[in-house]
Amino acid sequence: MKDSNCIFCKIANGEIPSNTIYEDDDFRVILDNGPATKGHALILPKEHYADLFELSDEAASKALIVAKKVSAQLKDKLNIDGLNVVQNNGETAGQTVKHFHIHLIPRYKNDGQHILWNPTEPSAEELVQIRDIING
Ligand code: AMP
Ligand code: ZN
């Protein structure tokens, strides 16, 4: 299903032009227009899923194969030193466009980006507690 109010539905299905670097029946991969680094790309399914929680199993399994393929393309064509795969769900997690997408962010030595978190120091008991909540 497509969402007529969704900009990524329109881009993925070619109704709005984009800088496409890969396309198949199910996905379009475009250059992010506010890139963290040179070659920052977004994997967009052509169907509308708001986020990972809505994504179909079929699209989920295909998406990682596209990620692998396009990552190899970026590695081959740009002189990258590394690559981050980022995927945000919900405003709290930094999602600004409510159409599932995966960021492929090429990394270059001294590129000035910091795609990291601050590690916390839970006790062993706290880890067990959260494990049991999740498993319960
Ligand atoms: P997120 O914060 O994970 O929802 O990521 C949304 C990303 O989409 C941001 O990195 C934006 O720069 C990018 N973006 C938003 N609109 C467009 C657009 N029209 N074309 C290309 N990238 C876009
Ligand atoms: Zn959409």
Side-chain angles (χ1 to χ4, degrees), residues 2-3 6-10 47-49 98-99:
K2 279 81 179 168
D3 179 338
C6 173
I7 186 168
F8 278 6
C9 277
K10 294 195 173 95
E47 291 296 313
H48 181 84
Y49 308 98
K98 303 291 163 49
H99 175 121

Side-chain angles (χ1 to χ4, degrees), residues 7-8 11 16-19 30-36 40 42 44 86-89 93-99 101 103:
I7 186 168
F8 278 6
I11 292 174
I16 294 178
S18 63
N19 290 302
I30 66 166
L31 292 182
D32 194 299
N33 68 0
H40 181 165
L42 300 173
L44 311 179
V86 176
Q87 201 279 305
N88 301 324
N89 299 283
Q95 185 180 14
T96 57
V97 182
K98 303 291 163 49
H99 175 121
H101 53 281
H103 296 258

Side-chain angles (χ1 to χ4, degrees), residues 23-36:
E23 185 181 6
D24 63 24
D25 287 347
D26 304 303
F27 295 90
R28 181 185 296 272
V29 182
I30 66 166
L31 292 182
D32 194 299
N33 68 0

